[in-house]
Amino acid sequence: MYVGALTLDILLGDVRSLKQKRSVVRPIVAEVQRRFPAVAVAETGHLDLHRRAEIGIAVVSATAANCGEVMDDCERLVAFHPEIELLSARQRLYNDED
């Protein structure tokens, strides 16, 4: 069993309040959940900053290759949103021996 963890640090465009931030981040999180129902996704960081957001995605799979493929697909899906800029993406892979 392999567990993949993907952390995406994103910069939001013209956002001036936390309310506007939520109106940008929530649809992105919902789209990842809709396109990849087997992953867990949530806003995990920069909760008090209105122009930054961190999205965490977790994947469980029988193979490391499948975990990596799903994380890459999730990263691409988020990166192609024109209203945000993907600053960094960090992938970690754990197996049952870790």
Side-chain angles (χ1 to χ4, degrees), residues 48-88:
D48 56 344
L49 300 175
H50 67 275
R51 292 214 51 226
R52 293 279 298 275
E54 180 182 271
I55 296 176
I57 299 171
V59 181
V60 177
S61 178
T63 65
N66 186 49
C67 252
E69 184 179 311
V70 171
M71 287 190 293
D72 289 341
D73 291 344
C74 289
E75 181 181 338
R76 272 192 295 278
L77 177 66
V78 172
F80 284 133
H81 281 266
E83 67 273 15
I84 64 145
E85 179 182 346
L86 183 61
L87 298 176
S88 69

Side-chain angles (χ1 to χ4, degrees), residues 15 17-28 83:
V15 173
S17 70
L18 291 176
K19 187 174 182 179
Q20 285 181 325
K21 174 186 177 178
R22 301 291 177 256
S23 72
V24 173
V25 174
R26 280 188 182 153
I28 294 171
E83 67 273 15

